[in-house]
Amino acid sequence: MHAPLLTPEVLLRAYAQGLFPMADRRDDPTLYWVSPEQRGIIPLDEFHVPRRLARTVRGGSFQVTADRAFRDVMEACAAPAPDRPQTWINDEILHLYTALHAGGHAHSIECWQDGELAGGLYGVRLGAAFFGESMFSRARDASKVALVHLVTRLRQGGFVLLDTQFLTPHLARLGAREIPRAAYLVLLQQAISRPAIWPGS
């Protein structure tokens, strides 16, 4: 199903119904709505940090910030990588989510190393739900460290749903799992009806 001309307001209404937009390729201007039959989530009380990753987090290899370089994180997620020659983040998605960020509805976590952006992630928040969109790494474990910090912020802010959209082996090792669309929609409605605070906002 192809998306009509989108605005940030339309996008938020779509998220509230369990939909999100994607493009087939970085250079494809067309967007379409996605609502997976099996939805990936990370239960915040079941998030698992392996010991080696915990040591990396404690070791301070990265300086971690929030909302310091939202557009840069998006562009890094949209860039091709050796294991990902094509991405689904096109110019319209960059424009839309940058507008959501300006309105306080989208956030980023950044990991810096020697003053350079080494990894990060971004996503959308609505009520007590956070929808993780994409992440990237230029240094080992940088995106995982960003995710650890994201989960910490969500717990602090009273969030109850972390939506990963899809399940990957990488996320499964950290506690993510799949649930049927119908079950996800029940959790979604419960989450968006509750207040939550993005710490620092």
Side-chain angles (χ1 to χ4, degrees), residues 160-180:
V160 297
L161 176 63
L162 174 51
D163 173 9
T164 67
Q165 300 178 345
F166 302 104
L167 181 67
T168 65
H170 157 66
L171 292 174
R173 287 191 289 271
L174 300 173
R177 56 188 172 89
E178 286 184 330
I179 59 173

Side-chain angles (χ1 to χ4, degrees), residues 115-172:
E116 300 292 329
L117 189 59
L121 57 82
Y122 76 96
V124 173
R125 73 176 170 109
L126 190 60
F130 190 91
F131 310 88
E133 288 295 314
S134 189
M135 59 175 59
F136 80 99
S137 280
R138 293 172 178 159
R140 182 177 180 179
D141 289 338
S143 64
K144 295 176 185 175
V145 170
L147 183 58
V148 171
H149 281 264
L150 172 67
V151 170
T152 299
R153 293 179 71 89
L154 297 182
R155 287 170 171 166
Q156 291 173 347
F159 287 80
V160 297
L161 176 63
L162 174 51
D163 173 9
T164 67
Q165 300 178 345
F166 302 104
L167 181 67
T168 65
H170 157 66
L171 292 174

Side-chain angles (χ1 to χ4, degrees), residues 2 18-19 21 27 32 36 52 76 85 101 103 107 117 165 168 196 198:
H2 290 294
L19 300 166
D27 60 354
Y32 59 92
R52 188 182 62 79
H101 173 64
H107 299 282
L117 189 59
Q165 300 178 345
T168 65
W198 180 256

Side-chain angles (χ1 to χ4, degrees), residues 44 72-73 90 100-101 105 108 132 138 141 148 155 198:
L44 292 171
D72 292 337
V73 169
N90 65 6
L100 281 181
H101 173 64
H105 295 288
S108 59
R138 293 172 178 159
D141 289 338
V148 171
R155 287 170 171 166
W198 180 256

